[in-house]
Amino acid sequence: MRYNERIRELREDHSLTQQKIADLLHIGQRTYADYESGKTRIPIDSILILAKHYNVSMDYITGASNILTPYPTR
């Protein structure tokens, strides 16, 4: 699964709007929509914020792993 599909899936699974996630990332809703559609690549710092927010690993968000593991803590 590609990261744009994964971030959409996570957002929908948590019943959040694109606007809510855009606000979390301090970007416009249209920019976030472009991330989900694959038109624009999502910056790594935004992936990190989303991983923390959804409590999943960055590997899961990026599609490097299909195993849902929690965000690592120290």
Side-chain angles (χ1 to χ4, degrees), residues 9-73:
E9 177 186 85
L10 285 166
R11 179 182 58 77
E12 290 175 348
D13 287 350
H14 287 83
S15 300
L16 297 169
T17 64
Q18 286 184 342
Q19 186 62 57
K20 290 278 186 188
I21 298 303
D23 291 346
L24 173 72
L25 299 176
H26 305 288
I27 58 173
Q29 180 273 330
R30 184 72 241 160
T31 301
Y32 183 76
D34 287 347
Y35 294 164
E36 281 193 0
S37 70
K39 288 182 182 178
T40 305
R41 287 182 171 236
I42 186 170
I44 191 76
D45 58 329
S46 293
I47 294 174
L48 182 59
I49 292 167
L50 292 177
K52 287 179 184 177
H53 178 75
Y54 293 126
N55 191 32
V56 297
S57 70
M58 289 180 62
D59 284 347
Y60 183 75
I61 286 188
T62 61
S65 172
N66 288 324
I67 300 169
L68 189 102
T69 56
Y71 186 82
T73 58

Side-chain angles (χ1 to χ4, degrees), residues 1-15:
M1 180 176 283
R2 296 180 54 200
Y3 78 86
N4 59 314
E5 296 166 343
R6 185 63 46 91
I7 62 174
R8 171 177 273 162
E9 177 186 85
L10 285 166
R11 179 182 58 77
E12 290 175 348
D13 287 350
H14 287 83
S15 300

